[in-house]
């Protein structure tokens, strides 16, 4: 008997095949996923189990509008219910709009929601279920749900109050033997990825525990299939005899693992297996899903098109790499909004990806949201000069020199682009000299015309993710926060534009990057 598992992950609130910047008919979105799932279900030879692996209710202009303007995820949860998943897993971005928003979403889902390694004060799963057992054609299949343990490094402590996040390896060691006693097959759905190169076992990132998929398959026996996500990679492979998949980003692929099972008395034995990815590029969107979301998307389009301000000069981003090594008016603008909102004198921000286009002559809400893509709030941290210098040395490591040119360090593009971890500052004057060895590249660091001393205390505003150490900036921590601005950055930008309806595209060139 063949049992087919179909997985989606990291759809991030994209439903129609658009990125809301004006591009239509793209190879993404839940409407295309729904159509492809129907096709794959109909073609499957035996039973089918569908898994939604997390990061569904946050990440798109639509999900932002629902959270901030409608204050409910019901449109999204109703839609996912219509797609008839058997299992759902919590992703890290599910926490971004607060615990009440997440709890409402979970209550609305009809499929069981799993998170075995997110525990309450008694050591039990905080959200109620660690696993579920599904019986298909006489075969019992256990699905264990896990999520990255690194969430406390990204979210506000009050959002996670009462929660403990365990390593997925430790959790799996506890549950897999128990599930092997209860079920014929045991599969794991993990909202996390792989910390090492699959073929060589060499580390591809700092081993912080954010991604533990490789360690899981090295240290825990008895897993029949592993479904992953979080890194937005497209993977269909086999490690230690276990088929694995990771189905990309924004609903551009479905991951499939097929297990061929034979009954041997009371036991079911996997005699063959394979993994594959299915693109939705040539798929027509499911009309039912489109009809469900159409009314709220019409509201969204009107909201996105509201004019917020105008630009004097040119604030378009034509070359995102150049905007990282030579100060760009858009970067300057974001830092100035942060300074204005916080009252701090030093600000740090990043270009989160290479998709943002900056601002044209007229700025709409669509421009703001498609450039500033994360639901960040701001925090002001008090640090000393040594810690600021250390942060700048770390940000310099995201650059590299190739063939006489400064490029984004390839080590931080593959397997997952980390453009959001390269920070640019306003309020200080500094030089990054790429001819110097790592750790010694900050050759100038001044504040208000004077060199910053190692002991000098400084207040710096940054997004909350960075303020608590996100991106492995360990010199920053939650206890260093001296005040917070609990308003979404997108709203702060809109409010700034109301107060300054015409902004100048200008820079002061307070930082330089040299070969």
């Amino acid at each position: 008997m063949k049992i087919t598992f179909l997985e989606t992950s990291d759809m991030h609130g994209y439903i129609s095949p658009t990125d809301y910047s004006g591009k239509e008919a793209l190879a993404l979105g839940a409407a295309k996923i729904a159509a492809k799932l129907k096709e794959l279900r109909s073609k499957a030879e035996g039973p089918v189990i569908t898994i939604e692996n997390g990061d569904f209710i946050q990440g798109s202009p639509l999900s932002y509008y629902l959270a901030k303007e409608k204050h409910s995820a019901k449109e999204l949860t109703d839609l996912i219910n219509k797609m008839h998943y058997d299992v759902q897993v919590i992703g890290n971005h599910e926490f971004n709009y607060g615990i009440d928003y997440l709890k409402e979403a979970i209550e609305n889902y009809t499929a069981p929601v799993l998170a075995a390694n997110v525990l309450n004060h008694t050591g039990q799963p905080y959200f109620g279920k660690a696993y579920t057992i599904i019986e298909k054609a006489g075969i019992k299949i256990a699905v264990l749900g896990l999520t990255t343990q690194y969430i406390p490094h990204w979210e506000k402590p009050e959002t996670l109050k009462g929660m403990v996040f365990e390593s997925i390896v430790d959790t799996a060691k506890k549950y897999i033997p128990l599930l092997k006693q209860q079920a014929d097959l045991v599969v794991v759905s993990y909202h996390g990825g792989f910390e090492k190169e699959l073929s060589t076992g060499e580390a591809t990132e700092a081993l912080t525990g954010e991604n533990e998929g490789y360690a899981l398959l090295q240290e825990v026996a008895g897993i029949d299939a592993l479904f992953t996500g979080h890194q937005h990679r497209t993977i269909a492979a086999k490690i230690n005899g276990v088929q694995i998949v990771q189905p990309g980003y924004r609903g551009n692929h479905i991951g499939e693992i097929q297990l061929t099972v034979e009954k041997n008395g009371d036991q079911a034995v996997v005699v063959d297996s394979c993994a594959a990815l299915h693109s939705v590029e040539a798929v027509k969107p499911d009309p039912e899903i489109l009809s469900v979301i159409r009314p709220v998307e019409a509201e969204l389009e009107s909201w996105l098109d509201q004019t917020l301000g105008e630009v004097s000069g040119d604030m378009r981003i034509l070359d995102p790499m150049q905007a990282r090594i030579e100060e760009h008016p858009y970067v300057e603008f974001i830092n100035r909004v942060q300074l204005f909102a916080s009252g701090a004198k030093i600000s740090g921000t990043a270009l989160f990806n290479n998709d943002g286009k900056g601002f044209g002559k007229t700025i709409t809400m669509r421009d703001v949201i498609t450039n500033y893509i994360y639901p960040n709030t701001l925090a002001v941290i008090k640090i000393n000069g040594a810690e600021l210098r250390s942060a700048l040395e770390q940000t310099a490591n995201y650059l590299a020199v190739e063939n006489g040119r400064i490029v984004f360090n390839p080590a931080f593009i593959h397997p997952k682009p980390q453009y959001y971890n390269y920070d640019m500052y306003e309020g200080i004057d500094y030089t990054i000299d790429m001819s110097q060895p790592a750790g010694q590249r900050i050759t100038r660091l001044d504040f208000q015309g004077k060199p910053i001393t190692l002991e000098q205390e400084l207040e710096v505003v940054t997004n909350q993710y960075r303020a608590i150490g996100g991106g492995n900036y360990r010199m920053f921590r939650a206890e260093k926060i001296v005040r917070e601005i609990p308003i979404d950055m997108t709203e702060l930008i809109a409010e700034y534009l109301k107060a300054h309806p015409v902004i100048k595209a200008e820079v002061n060139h307070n930082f330089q990057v040299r070969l």
Side-chain angles (χ1 to χ4, degrees), residues 316-334:
R316 296 171 300 159
I317 299 172
L318 303 178
D319 182 342
M321 189 60 223
Q322 188 63 26
R324 293 185 176 99
I325 60 177
E326 182 177 347
E327 190 174 29
H328 188 278
Y330 172 79
V331 176
E332 175 108 351
F333 168 72
I334 295 299

Side-chain angles (χ1 to χ4, degrees), residues 317-511:
I317 299 172
L318 303 178
D319 182 342
M321 189 60 223
Q322 188 63 26
R324 293 185 176 99
I325 60 177
E326 182 177 347
E327 190 174 29
H328 188 278
Y330 172 79
V331 176
E332 175 108 351
F333 168 72
I334 295 299
N335 270 323
R336 293 202 177 280
V337 171
Q338 294 186 175
L339 294 170
F340 179 81
S342 68
K345 290 184 169 58
I346 303 171
S347 172
T349 192
L351 281 180
F352 299 131
N353 57 31
N354 287 342
D355 298 329
K357 304 303 179 186
F359 296 152
K361 291 295 183 184
T362 300
I363 306 172
T364 65
M365 183 60 79
R366 187 187 306 275
D367 298 319
V368 171
I369 286 185
T370 54
N371 280 279
Y372 202 100
I373 58 174
Y374 295 121
N376 288 327
T377 57
L378 300 179
V380 178
I381 51 176
K382 182 174 282 188
I383 58 175
N384 61 35
E387 290 164 328
L388 178 58
R389 179 176 288 275
S390 178
L392 287 166
E393 291 287 1
Q394 179 161 331
T395 211
N397 289 337
Y398 286 90
L399 303 177
V401 178
E402 290 185 352
N403 301 319
R405 294 174 57 247
I406 299 173
V407 299
F408 204 87
N409 191 335
F412 300 107
I413 297 177
H414 306 290
K416 180 182 180 180
Q418 297 182 40
Y419 301 116
Y420 50 82
N421 280 332
Y422 172 78
D423 292 334
M424 294 159 282
Y425 285 80
E426 187 59 49
I428 55 175
D429 298 285
Y430 63 98
T431 298
I432 299 174
D433 188 343
M434 293 302 295
S435 69
Q436 300 300 312
Q440 301 175 38
R441 290 174 173 160
I442 307 305
T443 56
R444 177 181 60 128
L445 181 54
D446 299 339
F447 175 61
Q448 296 181 338
K450 297 179 181 179
I452 294 174
T453 65
L454 296 180
E455 301 81 14
Q456 186 173 353
E457 287 195 336
L458 304 158
E459 287 192 353
V460 179
V461 61
T462 186
N463 64 61
Q464 206 267 347
Y465 166 80
R466 183 72 78 244
I468 62 173
N472 301 320
Y473 279 78
R474 292 181 177 140
M475 67 292 299
F476 302 155
R477 297 188 300 277
E479 55 265 33
K480 294 181 179 291
I481 294 174
V482 292
R483 62 184 180 276
E484 297 187 59
I485 299 86
I487 301 170
D488 189 283
M489 186 59 182
T490 308
E491 295 176 44
L492 291 176
I493 295 170
E495 289 301 314
Y496 185 91
L497 289 169
K498 287 179 183 177
H500 308 83
V502 180
I503 57 172
K504 290 184 179 180
E506 56 187 4
V507 294
N508 59 8
H509 295 296
N510 66 294
F511 73 85

Side-chain angles (χ1 to χ4, degrees), residues 175-186:
Y175 277 104
I176 297 297
L178 296 174
L179 295 178
K180 295 299 283 186
Q181 296 173 16
Q182 300 177 52
D184 299 299
L185 302 176
V186 177

